[in-house]
Amino acid sequence: METHYVYILKCADDKFYVGCTKNLFKRLECHQKGQVNSTSYRLPLELETYIVFKNQYKAFKFEKYLKSGSGRAFRNKRLI
């Protein structure tokens, strides 16, 4: 069974980054090494939370939701 992770990082500028990946630990390592353009200038990063999905479609859909206005409100109230 393949799992997918939706994760939330807190960046040095006190803003959040939301992403989705199949390999959470490898992706976090890429973030920390500055290999991800969206976060390379916002180091250091801290993993706030992650959610595991069995279904890739649902993971990507939830990531997209967390990047919306109501998703950001949900994140702030329920996830961090």
Side-chain angles (χ1 to χ4, degrees), residues 11-28:
C11 303
D13 59 4
D14 285 332
K15 294 183 181 178
F16 294 95
Y17 174 86
V18 176
C20 188
T21 186
K22 286 194 274 185
N23 187 331
L24 181 62
F25 298 106
K26 183 177 179 182
R27 187 64 175 161
L28 291 175

Side-chain angles (χ1 to χ4, degrees), residues 10 14 19 21-22 27-28 32 36 40-42 47 57 63 68-69 73 76 79:
K10 186 170 184 179
D14 285 332
T21 186
K22 286 194 274 185
R27 187 64 175 161
L28 291 175
Q32 294 293 1
V36 180
S40 62
Y41 58 95
R42 297 162 51 181
L47 179 64
Y57 174 76
E63 176 196 18
S68 71
N76 294 338
L79 298 177

Side-chain angles (χ1 to χ4, degrees), residues 67-79:
K67 292 178 177 181
S68 71
S70 60
R72 285 190 298 273
F74 175 79
R75 174 198 71 199
N76 294 338
K77 187 172 184 178
R78 303 284 184 206
L79 298 177

Side-chain angles (χ1 to χ4, degrees), residues 52-74:
V52 182
F53 290 85
K54 294 179 186 178
N55 181 296
Q56 178 182 5
Y57 174 76
K58 288 182 182 180
F60 284 122
K61 195 168 182 173
F62 188 65
E63 176 196 18
K64 185 176 180 180
Y65 167 71
L66 288 178
K67 292 178 177 181
S68 71
S70 60
R72 285 190 298 273
F74 175 79

